[in-house]
Amino acid sequence: MQALLNTAVKAARKGGDLALRYLNRVGDLEVRSKARNEFVTQVDQAAEAAIIGSIRERYPQHAILAEESGKHAGNEFTWIIDPLDGTTNFIHGFPVFSVSIALEVHGQLEVGVVYDPCRQELFTTTRGGGAQLDGRRIRVSSWPGLEGSLIGTGFPYRSNTQWLPKYMPMLQAVMENTAGVRRPGSAALDLCYVAAGRLDGFWEFGLSIWDIAAGTLMIREAGGIATSLTPGQELAESGNIIAGSPKVHAALQQLLADHL
Ligand code: IPD
Ligand code: CA
Ligand code: CA
């Protein structure tokens, strides 16, 4: 797995460093709208091309599933790529975004890398090999429950706005029962913050596989839990996620279930 992880790290750094070089001139970027509140820039596309090029140079036969260019056929190894997670932040020069790369083999997540170019923080994981931040082992928080906890979330703000009527009472309940709620704007990074114990829990509706693949493996390898928020569905198909340390995951699930 180490060679595959090294490839993911190299590719993630390439994509993230490319985005960072554009951060101080975001005003010059051409911003295209894919759907309401769903933007893409030439940086998303250039970063994706650089990442895919880097992976394919080493593993030309592997398959790829990438946000901007879709599926590239290949063997049973599939790289799942979000070249720029947090595009809305990025186009405003708001320095919270990341690159997320995961590798699935025969449908099983094996490798995950999330790179934050603004802080130059690198989150890595392999199945069975734990989760690391800049090479040092990370664990989910040991906070005992919701009281005093810090919870991350993402708002339903585009094609997933149908969740708003359920989401708003959830937000209120979480605000009333915890120390605070954060909405940083890069789901892949938010999940890594859960893995590192910087957030005790997280929930969001309507994410895509490239937002969550690397982050969910990171959380599980850091001793946490990431499941579908909507019962009876697999997380990968629903994209509705609830995550946290085992204790906070259970408590948050119980609190949110009242509003589902
Ligand atoms: C988005 C970010 C954001 C989340 C959205 C995602 P993108 O990804 O992760 O935090 O709330 O749902 O789609 O579009 O910037 O890659
Ligand atoms: Ca994303
Ligand atoms: Ca993206």
Side-chain angles (χ1 to χ4, degrees):
M1 277 307 143
Q2 194 57 43
L4 292 157
L5 178 65
N6 291 346
T7 298
V9 166
K10 190 174 155 197
R13 285 192 189 279
K14 260 195 187 162
D17 292 344
L18 187 147
L20 196 59
R21 286 200 295 278
Y22 280 89
L23 187 61
N24 289 327
R25 21 188 193 120
V26 287
D28 300 336
L29 291 179
E30 192 187 306
V31 180
R32 209 164 42 77
S33 178
K34 295 195 273 190
R36 183 176 174 271
N37 280 346
E38 189 153 2
F39 305 106
V40 62
T41 69
Q42 66 265 44
V43 178
D44 297 70
Q45 288 161 338
E48 184 164 302
I51 292 164
I52 293 175
S54 186
I55 293 171
R56 281 251 153 127
E57 194 180 281
R58 182 78 169 78
Y59 299 109
Q61 69 283 36
H62 288 188
I64 284 173
L65 172 61
E67 181 178 9
E68 308 304 338
S69 59
K71 282 189 182 162
H72 306 240
N75 63 14
E76 69 280 13
F77 289 69
T78 302
W79 295 87
I80 304 170
I81 302 166
D82 189 335
L84 180 45
D85 186 54
T87 297
T88 305
N89 282 346
F90 178 75
I91 61 185
H92 289 85
F94 190 99
V96 178
F97 50 87
S98 64
V99 177
S100 176
I101 301 178
L103 174 67
E104 211 174 64
V105 185
H106 289 297
Q108 167 111 267
L109 286 168
E110 296 286 353
V111 173
V113 169
V114 176
Y115 180 53
D116 170 355
C118 296
R119 281 174 200 72
Q120 300 192 350
E121 287 190 327
L122 180 73
F123 295 87
T124 52
T125 185
T126 52
R127 189 167 65 88
Q132 302 81 30
L133 165 54
D134 293 334
R136 288 184 312 277
R137 187 77 186 249
I138 50 174
R139 306 267 319 157
V140 293
S141 86
S142 52
W143 206 260
L146 290 180
E147 178 74 30
S149 69
L150 187 63
I151 305 296
T153 189
F155 303 141
Y157 68 110
R158 46 195 193 197
S159 57
N160 54 356
T161 46
Q162 86 270 14
W163 289 108
L164 265 175
K166 291 188 191 299
Y167 181 85
M168 294 311 288
M170 287 181 170
L171 181 60
Q172 179 171 348
V174 176
M175 287 169 74
E176 285 170 349
N177 286 278
T178 65
V181 181
R182 299 290 180 268
R183 195 284 192 247
S186 168
L189 204 52
D190 298 340
L191 296 177
C192 291
Y193 279 25
V194 173
R198 293 173 176 178
L199 290 171
D200 302 299
F202 179 82
W203 90 103
E204 182 165 354
F205 287 103
L207 289 168
S208 298
I209 189 68
W210 43 76
D211 301 314
I212 58 176
T216 52
L217 183 62
M218 202 79 63
I219 288 176
R220 288 169 187 152
E221 288 295 325
I225 300 178
T227 56
S228 176
L229 178 55
T230 38
Q233 283 180 304
E234 290 296 317
L235 172 56
E237 63 169 296
S238 79
N240 305 324
I241 192 170
I242 176 166
S245 63
K247 284 183 182 146
V248 171
H249 179 276
L252 188 60
Q253 195 166 43
Q254 203 181 354
L255 185 73
L256 300 184
D258 289 344
H259 305 283
L260 269 173

Coordinates of all heavy atoms in Angstrom, one line a residue, residues 1-80:
M1 N 0.8 -1.2 0.0 CA 0.0 0.0 0.0 C 0.8 1.3 0.0 O 0.4 2.3 -0.4 CB -0.9 0.0 1.2 CG -2.2 -0.7 1.1 SD -3.1 -0.3 -0.4 CE -3.7 -1.9 -0.8
Q2 N 2.1 1.2 0.5 CA 2.9 2.4 0.7 C 3.1 3.1 -0.7 O 3.1 4.3 -0.8 CB 4.2 2.0 1.3 CG 5.0 3.2 1.8 CD 4.3 4.1 2.8 OE1 3.6 3.6 3.7 NE2 4.3 5.4 2.7
A3 N 3.4 2.3 -1.7 CA 3.6 2.9 -3.0 C 2.4 3.6 -3.5 O 2.5 4.7 -4.1 CB 4.1 1.8 -4.0
L4 N 1.2 3.0 -3.3 CA 0.0 3.6 -3.7 C -0.3 4.9 -2.9 O -0.7 5.9 -3.5 CB -1.2 2.7 -3.5 CG -1.1 1.5 -4.5 CD1 -1.9 0.3 -3.9 CD2 -1.7 1.8 -5.9
L5 N 0.0 4.9 -1.6 CA -0.1 6.1 -0.8 C 0.8 7.2 -1.2 O 0.4 8.3 -1.3 CB 0.1 5.7 0.7 CG 0.1 6.8 1.7 CD1 -1.4 7.4 1.8 CD2 0.5 6.4 3.1
N6 N 2.0 6.8 -1.5 CA 3.0 7.8 -2.0 C 2.5 8.5 -3.3 O 2.7 9.7 -3.4 CB 4.4 7.2 -2.3 CG 5.0 6.7 -1.0 OD1 4.6 7.1 0.1 ND2 6.1 5.8 -1.1
T7 N 1.9 7.7 -4.1 CA 1.4 8.2 -5.4 C 0.3 9.2 -5.1 O 0.2 10.3 -5.7 CB 0.9 7.1 -6.3 OG1 2.0 6.3 -6.6 CG2 0.3 7.6 -7.6
A8 N -0.6 8.9 -4.2 CA -1.7 9.7 -3.8 C -1.2 11.0 -3.2 O -1.7 12.1 -3.5 CB -2.7 9.0 -2.9
V9 N -0.2 10.9 -2.3 CA 0.4 12.1 -1.7 C 1.0 13.1 -2.7 O 0.7 14.3 -2.7 CB 1.4 11.7 -0.6 CG1 2.3 12.9 -0.2 CG2 0.7 11.0 0.6
K10 N 1.8 12.5 -3.6 CA 2.4 13.3 -4.6 C 1.4 14.0 -5.5 O 1.5 15.2 -5.8 CB 3.3 12.4 -5.5 CG 4.2 13.1 -6.4 CD 5.1 12.1 -7.1 CE 5.6 12.7 -8.5 NZ 6.1 11.7 -9.4
A11 N 0.3 13.3 -5.9 CA -0.7 13.9 -6.7 C -1.5 15.0 -6.0 O -1.8 16.0 -6.5 CB -1.6 12.8 -7.2
A12 N -1.8 14.7 -4.7 CA -2.5 15.7 -3.9 C -1.7 17.0 -3.7 O -2.3 18.1 -3.8 CB -2.9 15.1 -2.5
R13 N -0.5 16.8 -3.4 CA 0.4 18.0 -3.3 C 0.4 18.8 -4.6 O 0.4 20.1 -4.6 CB 1.8 17.6 -2.9 CG 1.9 17.2 -1.4 CD 3.4 17.1 -1.0 NE 3.6 16.5 0.3 CZ 3.5 17.2 1.5 NH1 3.1 18.4 1.5 NH2 3.7 16.6 2.6
K14 N 0.5 18.1 -5.7 CA 0.6 18.8 -7.0 C -0.7 19.6 -7.2 O -0.7 20.8 -7.5 CB 0.6 17.8 -8.1 CG 2.0 17.6 -8.7 CD 2.0 16.9 -10.0 CE 3.4 16.6 -10.4 NZ 3.6 15.7 -11.4
G15 N -1.9 19.0 -7.0 CA -3.1 19.7 -7.2 C -3.3 20.8 -6.2 O -3.7 21.9 -6.6
G16 N -3.0 20.6 -4.9 CA -3.1 21.7 -3.9 C -2.2 22.8 -4.1 O -2.6 24.0 -4.0
D17 N -1.0 22.6 -4.5 CA 0.0 23.7 -4.7 C -0.4 24.5 -5.9 O -0.3 25.7 -5.9 CB 1.4 23.1 -4.9 CG 1.9 22.5 -3.6 OD1 1.3 22.8 -2.5 OD2 2.9 21.7 -3.6
L18 N -1.0 23.8 -6.9 CA -1.5 24.6 -8.1 C -2.6 25.5 -7.7 O -2.6 26.7 -8.0 CB -2.0 23.6 -9.1 CG -2.4 24.1 -10.5 CD1 -2.1 23.0 -11.6 CD2 -3.9 24.4 -10.6
A19 N -3.6 25.0 -6.9 CA -4.7 25.9 -6.4 C -4.1 27.1 -5.6 O -4.5 28.2 -5.8 CB -5.7 25.1 -5.6
L20 N -3.2 26.8 -4.7 CA -2.6 27.8 -3.9 C -2.0 29.0 -4.7 O -2.1 30.1 -4.3 CB -1.6 27.2 -3.0 CG -1.1 28.0 -1.8 CD1 -2.3 28.4 -0.9 CD2 -0.1 27.2 -1.0
R21 N -1.3 28.6 -5.8 CA -0.7 29.6 -6.6 C -1.7 30.6 -7.2 O -1.3 31.7 -7.6 CB 0.1 28.9 -7.8 CG 1.4 28.3 -7.3 CD 2.4 28.1 -8.4 NE 1.9 27.1 -9.4 CZ 2.0 25.8 -9.4 NH1 2.6 25.3 -8.3 NH2 1.5 25.0 -10.3
Y22 N -2.9 30.2 -7.3 CA -4.0 31.1 -7.9 C -4.7 31.9 -6.8 O -5.5 32.7 -7.1 CB -5.0 30.2 -8.6 CG -4.6 29.8 -10.0 CD1 -3.9 28.7 -10.3 CD2 -4.9 30.7 -11.1 CE1 -3.5 28.3 -11.5 CE2 -4.5 30.3 -12.4 CZ -3.9 29.1 -12.6 OH -3.5 28.8 -13.9
L23 N -4.5 31.5 -5.5 CA -5.3 32.1 -4.5 C -5.3 33.6 -4.4 O -6.3 34.2 -4.1 CB -4.9 31.5 -3.1 CG -5.8 31.8 -1.9 CD1 -7.3 31.4 -2.2 CD2 -5.3 31.2 -0.6
N24 N -4.2 34.2 -4.7 CA -4.1 35.7 -4.6 C -4.6 36.4 -5.9 O -4.5 37.6 -5.9 CB -2.7 36.1 -4.2 CG -2.4 35.7 -2.8 OD1 -3.3 35.8 -2.0 ND2 -1.1 35.4 -2.6
R25 N -5.0 35.6 -6.9 CA -5.5 36.3 -8.1 C -6.9 35.6 -8.5 O -7.2 35.5 -9.6 CB -4.6 36.3 -9.2 CG -3.5 35.2 -9.1 CD -2.5 35.3 -10.2 NE -1.7 34.1 -10.2 CZ -1.6 33.3 -11.3 NH1 -2.2 33.6 -12.4 NH2 -0.9 32.2 -11.2
V26 N -7.7 35.3 -7.4 CA -9.0 34.7 -7.8 C -9.9 35.6 -8.5 O -10.8 35.1 -9.3 CB -9.7 34.1 -6.5 CG1 -9.0 32.9 -5.9 CG2 -9.8 35.2 -5.4
G27 N -9.7 36.9 -8.4 CA -10.5 37.9 -9.2 C -10.3 37.7 -10.7 O -11.2 38.1 -11.4
D28 N -9.2 37.1 -11.1 CA -9.0 37.0 -12.6 C -9.6 35.7 -13.1 O -9.5 35.4 -14.3 CB -7.5 36.9 -12.9 CG -6.8 38.2 -12.4 OD1 -7.5 39.2 -12.4 OD2 -5.6 38.2 -12.2
L29 N -10.1 34.8 -12.2 CA -10.5 33.5 -12.6 C -11.8 33.6 -13.4 O -12.7 34.4 -13.1 CB -10.7 32.6 -11.4 CG -9.5 32.1 -10.7 CD1 -9.9 31.3 -9.5 CD2 -8.5 31.4 -11.6
E30 N -11.9 32.6 -14.3 CA -13.2 32.5 -15.0 C -14.0 31.5 -14.2 O -13.6 30.4 -14.1 CB -12.9 31.9 -16.4 CG -14.0 32.0 -17.4 CD -13.6 31.3 -18.7 OE1 -12.6 31.6 -19.2 OE2 -14.4 30.3 -19.0
V31 N -15.2 32.0 -13.7 CA -16.0 31.1 -12.9 C -17.2 30.7 -13.7 O -18.0 31.6 -14.2 CB -16.4 31.8 -11.6 CG1 -17.3 30.9 -10.7 CG2 -15.2 32.3 -10.8
R32 N -17.4 29.4 -13.8 CA -18.6 28.9 -14.6 C -19.5 28.2 -13.6 O -19.1 27.6 -12.6 CB -18.1 27.9 -15.6 CG -18.9 27.7 -16.9 CD -18.1 27.0 -18.0 NE -17.4 25.8 -17.5 CZ -17.9 24.6 -17.3 NH1 -19.2 24.4 -17.3 NH2 -17.1 23.6 -16.9
S33 N -20.9 28.4 -13.9 CA -21.8 27.8 -13.0 C -22.3 26.5 -13.6 O -22.9 26.4 -14.7 CB -23.0 28.8 -12.8 OG -23.9 28.2 -12.0
K34 N -22.2 25.3 -12.8 CA -22.7 24.0 -13.3 C -24.1 23.9 -13.0 O -24.9 23.2 -13.7 CB -21.9 22.9 -12.6 CG -20.4 22.8 -13.0 CD -19.8 21.5 -12.5 CE -19.3 21.5 -11.1 NZ -18.5 20.3 -10.7
A35 N -24.6 24.5 -11.9 CA -26.0 24.5 -11.5 C -26.0 25.6 -10.4 O -25.0 26.2 -10.1 CB -26.3 23.1 -10.9
R36 N -27.2 25.8 -9.8 CA -27.3 26.8 -8.9 C -26.3 26.7 -7.7 O -26.3 25.6 -7.1 CB -28.8 26.9 -8.3 CG -28.9 28.0 -7.3 CD -30.3 28.2 -6.8 NE -30.3 29.2 -5.8 CZ -30.0 29.0 -4.5 NH1 -29.8 27.8 -4.1 NH2 -29.9 30.0 -3.7
N37 N -25.5 27.7 -7.5 CA -24.5 27.7 -6.4 C -23.5 26.6 -6.6 O -22.8 26.2 -5.6 CB -25.1 27.5 -5.0 CG -25.7 28.8 -4.5 OD1 -25.4 29.9 -5.1 ND2 -26.5 28.8 -3.5
E38 N -23.3 26.1 -7.8 CA -22.3 25.0 -8.0 C -21.3 25.5 -9.1 O -21.7 25.6 -10.3 CB -23.0 23.8 -8.5 CG -22.1 22.6 -8.5 CD -22.8 21.3 -8.3 OE1 -24.0 21.2 -8.2 OE2 -22.1 20.3 -8.4
F39 N -20.1 25.9 -8.6 CA -19.2 26.6 -9.5 C -18.0 25.7 -9.9 O -17.6 24.9 -9.1 CB -18.7 27.9 -8.9 CG -19.9 28.8 -8.4 CD1 -20.2 28.9 -7.1 CD2 -20.6 29.5 -9.4 CE1 -21.3 29.7 -6.7 CE2 -21.7 30.3 -9.0 CZ -22.0 30.4 -7.7
V40 N -17.4 26.1 -11.0 CA -16.2 25.4 -11.4 C -15.3 26.5 -12.0 O -15.8 27.4 -12.7 CB -16.5 24.2 -12.3 CG1 -17.1 24.6 -13.6 CG2 -15.2 23.4 -12.6
T41 N -14.0 26.4 -11.8 CA -13.1 27.3 -12.3 C -12.0 26.5 -13.1 O -12.0 25.3 -13.0 CB -12.3 28.1 -11.2 OG1 -11.5 27.1 -10.5 CG2 -13.3 28.7 -10.2
Q42 N -11.2 27.2 -13.9 CA -10.1 26.5 -14.6 C -9.1 25.9 -13.6 O -8.4 25.0 -13.9 CB -9.4 27.4 -15.6 CG -8.6 28.6 -15.0 CD -9.4 29.9 -15.0 OE1 -10.6 29.9 -14.6 NE2 -8.8 31.0 -15.4
V43 N -9.2 26.4 -12.3 CA -8.3 25.8 -11.3 C -8.7 24.4 -11.0 O -7.9 23.4 -10.8 CB -8.1 26.7 -10.1 CG1 -7.2 26.1 -9.0 CG2 -7.6 28.0 -10.5
D44 N -10.1 24.2 -10.8 CA -10.6 22.9 -10.5 C -10.1 21.9 -11.6 O -9.7 20.8 -11.4 CB -12.1 22.8 -10.5 CG -12.7 23.7 -9.4 OD1 -12.6 25.0 -9.5 OD2 -13.3 23.2 -8.5
Q45 N -10.3 22.4 -12.9 CA -10.0 21.5 -14.0 C -8.5 21.3 -14.1 O -8.0 20.1 -14.4 CB -10.5 22.1 -15.3 CG -12.1 22.0 -15.3 CD -12.8 22.9 -16.2 OE1 -12.2 24.0 -16.6 NE2 -14.0 22.6 -16.6
A46 N -7.7 22.3 -14.0 CA -6.2 22.1 -14.1 C -5.7 21.3 -13.0 O -4.8 20.4 -13.2 CB -5.5 23.5 -14.1
A47 N -6.2 21.5 -11.8 CA -5.8 20.6 -10.6 C -6.1 19.2 -10.9 O -5.3 18.3 -10.7 CB -6.4 21.1 -9.3
E48 N -7.3 19.0 -11.4 CA -7.8 17.6 -11.7 C -6.9 16.9 -12.7 O -6.4 15.8 -12.6 CB -9.2 17.5 -12.1 CG -9.7 16.1 -12.3 CD -11.2 16.0 -12.4 OE1 -11.9 16.4 -11.4 OE2 -11.7 15.5 -13.4
A49 N -6.6 17.7 -13.8 CA -5.7 17.1 -14.8 C -4.3 16.8 -14.3 O -3.7 15.8 -14.6 CB -5.6 18.1 -16.0
A50 N -3.8 17.7 -13.4 CA -2.5 17.4 -12.9 C -2.5 16.2 -12.0 O -1.6 15.4 -12.0 CB -2.0 18.6 -12.0
I51 N -3.6 16.0 -11.2 CA -3.7 14.9 -10.3 C -3.8 13.6 -11.1 O -3.1 12.6 -10.9 CB -4.9 15.0 -9.4 CG1 -4.6 16.2 -8.4 CG2 -5.2 13.7 -8.6 CD1 -5.9 16.7 -7.7
I52 N -4.7 13.6 -12.1 CA -4.8 12.4 -12.9 C -3.5 12.1 -13.7 O -3.1 10.9 -13.7 CB -6.0 12.6 -13.9 CG1 -7.3 12.6 -13.1 CG2 -6.1 11.4 -14.9 CD1 -8.6 12.9 -13.9
G53 N -2.9 13.1 -14.2 CA -1.6 12.8 -14.9 C -0.6 12.2 -14.0 O 0.1 11.2 -14.4
S54 N -0.5 12.6 -12.8 CA 0.4 12.1 -11.8 C 0.1 10.7 -11.5 O 1.0 9.8 -11.4 CB 0.4 13.0 -10.6 OG 1.3 12.7 -9.7
I55 N -1.1 10.3 -11.3 CA -1.5 9.0 -11.0 C -1.3 8.0 -12.2 O -0.7 6.9 -12.1 CB -3.0 8.9 -10.5 CG1 -3.1 9.6 -9.2 CG2 -3.5 7.4 -10.4 CD1 -4.6 9.8 -8.7
R56 N -1.7 8.5 -13.4 CA -1.7 7.7 -14.6 C -0.2 7.4 -15.0 O 0.1 6.4 -15.7 CB -2.5 8.3 -15.7 CG -4.0 8.1 -15.5 CD -4.4 7.1 -16.6 NE -5.6 6.3 -16.1 CZ -6.7 6.2 -16.8 NH1 -6.9 6.9 -17.9 NH2 -7.7 5.4 -16.4
E57 N 0.7 8.4 -14.7 CA 2.1 8.2 -15.0 C 2.6 6.9 -14.3 O 3.4 6.2 -14.9 CB 2.8 9.4 -14.5 CG 4.2 9.7 -14.9 CD 4.7 11.0 -14.2 OE1 4.4 12.1 -14.7 OE2 5.4 10.8 -13.2
R58 N 2.1 6.7 -13.1 CA 2.6 5.6 -12.3 C 1.8 4.3 -12.5 O 2.3 3.2 -12.6 CB 2.6 6.0 -10.8 CG 3.1 5.0 -9.8 CD 4.6 5.0 -9.8 NE 5.1 4.2 -8.7 CZ 5.1 2.9 -8.7 NH1 4.7 2.2 -9.7 NH2 5.6 2.3 -7.6
Y59 N 0.4 4.6 -12.7 CA -0.5 3.4 -12.8 C -1.4 3.6 -14.0 O -2.6 3.9 -13.8 CB -1.3 3.3 -11.5 CG -0.5 3.0 -10.3 CD1 -0.3 4.0 -9.3 CD2 0.1 1.8 -10.1 CE1 0.5 3.7 -8.2 CE2 0.9 1.5 -9.0 CZ 1.1 2.5 -8.0 OH 1.9 2.2 -6.9
P60 N -0.9 3.5 -15.2 CA -1.8 3.8 -16.4 C -3.0 2.9 -16.5 O -4.0 3.3 -17.2 CB -0.8 3.6 -17.5 CG 0.4 2.8 -17.0 CD 0.4 3.1 -15.5
Q61 N -3.0 1.7 -15.9 CA -4.1 0.8 -16.1 C -5.2 1.0 -15.0 O -6.3 0.4 -15.1 CB -3.6 -0.6 -16.0 CG -3.1 -1.2 -14.7 CD -1.7 -0.6 -14.3 OE1 -1.3 0.5 -14.6 NE2 -0.9 -1.5 -13.7
H62 N -5.0 1.9 -14.0 CA -6.0 2.1 -13.0 C -7.2 2.9 -13.5 O -7.1 3.8 -14.3 CB -5.4 2.8 -11.8 CG -4.5 1.9 -11.0 ND1 -4.0 2.2 -9.8 CD2 -4.1 0.6 -11.2 CE1 -3.3 1.3 -9.3 NE2 -3.3 0.3 -10.2
A63 N -8.4 2.6 -12.9 CA -9.6 3.4 -13.2 C -9.6 4.7 -12.4 O -9.0 4.8 -11.4 CB -10.9 2.6 -13.0
I64 N -10.4 5.7 -12.9 CA -10.5 7.0 -12.2 C -11.9 7.4 -12.1 O -12.6 7.3 -13.1 CB -9.5 8.0 -12.8 CG1 -8.1 7.7 -12.4 CG2 -9.9 9.4 -12.4 CD1 -7.0 8.5 -13.1
L65 N -12.3 8.0 -11.0 CA -13.6 8.7 -10.9 C -13.3 10.0 -10.3 O -12.9 10.2 -9.2 CB -14.6 7.9 -10.0 CG -15.9 8.6 -9.7 CD1 -16.7 8.9 -10.9 CD2 -16.7 7.8 -8.7
A66 N -13.4 11.1 -11.2 CA -13.1 12.4 -10.7 C -14.2 13.4 -10.9 O -15.0 13.2 -11.9 CB -11.8 12.9 -11.5
E67 N -14.3 14.3 -10.0 CA -15.5 15.2 -10.0 C -15.7 15.9 -11.4 O -16.8 15.9 -11.9 CB -15.4 16.3 -8.9 CG -16.7 17.1 -8.9 CD -16.7 18.2 -7.8 OE1 -15.7 18.4 -7.1 OE2 -17.8 18.8 -7.7
E68 N -14.7 16.5 -11.9 CA -14.9 17.3 -13.1 C -14.9 16.5 -14.4 O -15.6 16.9 -15.3 CB -13.8 18.4 -13.2 CG -13.7 19.3 -11.9 CD -15.0 19.9 -11.5 OE1 -15.9 20.1 -12.3 OE2 -15.1 20.2 -10.2
S69 N -14.1 15.5 -14.5 CA -14.1 14.7 -15.8 C -14.8 13.4 -15.8 O -14.8 12.7 -16.8 CB -12.6 14.6 -16.2 OG -11.9 13.9 -15.3
G70 N -15.3 13.0 -14.6 CA -16.1 11.8 -14.6 C -15.3 10.5 -14.5 O -14.2 10.5 -14.0
K71 N -15.8 9.5 -15.2 CA -15.2 8.1 -15.1 C -14.2 8.0 -16.2 O -14.4 8.3 -17.4 CB -16.3 7.1 -15.3 CG -17.1 6.8 -14.1 CD -18.0 5.6 -14.3 CE -18.8 5.4 -13.0 NZ -19.9 4.6 -13.2
H72 N -13.0 7.4 -15.9 CA -12.0 7.0 -16.8 C -11.9 5.5 -16.6 O -11.5 5.0 -15.5 CB -10.7 7.6 -16.6 CG -10.7 9.1 -16.5 ND1 -10.0 10.0 -17.4 CD2 -11.4 10.0 -15.7 CE1 -10.3 11.2 -17.1 NE2 -11.1 11.3 -16.1
A73 N -12.1 4.7 -17.6 CA -12.1 3.2 -17.4 C -10.8 2.7 -17.1 O -9.7 3.3 -17.4 CB -12.6 2.6 -18.7
G74 N -10.8 1.5 -16.4 CA -9.5 0.9 -16.0 C -9.8 -0.4 -15.3 O -10.9 -1.0 -15.4
N75 N -8.8 -0.9 -14.5 CA -9.0 -2.2 -13.9 C -9.7 -2.0 -12.5 O -10.5 -1.1 -12.3 CB -7.6 -2.9 -13.7 CG -6.6 -2.0 -12.8 OD1 -7.1 -1.1 -12.1 ND2 -5.4 -2.4 -12.8
E76 N -9.5 -3.0 -11.6 CA -10.3 -3.0 -10.3 C -9.8 -1.9 -9.3 O -10.4 -1.8 -8.3 CB -10.2 -4.4 -9.7 CG -8.9 -4.9 -9.2 CD -8.0 -5.4 -10.3 OE1 -8.2 -5.2 -11.5 OE2 -6.9 -6.0 -9.9
F77 N -8.7 -1.2 -9.6 CA -8.3 -0.1 -8.8 C -8.9 1.2 -9.3 O -8.8 1.6 -10.4 CB -6.7 0.1 -8.9 CG -6.0 -1.1 -8.3 CD1 -6.0 -2.3 -8.8 CD2 -5.2 -0.8 -7.1 CE1 -5.2 -3.4 -8.2 CE2 -4.5 -1.8 -6.5 CZ -4.5 -3.1 -7.1
T78 N -9.7 1.9 -8.4 CA -10.3 3.1 -8.8 C -9.9 4.3 -7.9 O -10.1 4.2 -6.6 CB -11.9 3.0 -8.7 OG1 -12.3 1.9 -9.6 CG2 -12.6 4.2 -9.2
W79 N -9.4 5.3 -8.5 CA -9.0 6.5 -7.7 C -10.2 7.4 -7.7 O -10.7 7.7 -8.8 CB -7.8 7.2 -8.4 CG -6.6 6.3 -8.3 CD1 -6.2 5.4 -9.2 CD2 -5.5 6.3 -7.3 NE1 -5.0 4.8 -8.8 CE2 -4.6 5.4 -7.6 CE3 -5.4 7.1 -6.1 CZ2 -3.4 5.2 -6.9 CZ3 -4.2 6.8 -5.3 CH2 -3.3 5.9 -5.7
I80 N -10.6 7.9 -6.5 CA -11.7 8.8 -6.4 C -11.2 10.2 -6.0 O -10.6 10.3 -5.0 CB -12.7 8.2 -5.4 CG1 -13.1 6.8 -5.7 CG2 -13.9 9.2 -5.2 CD1 -13.9 6.1 -4.6

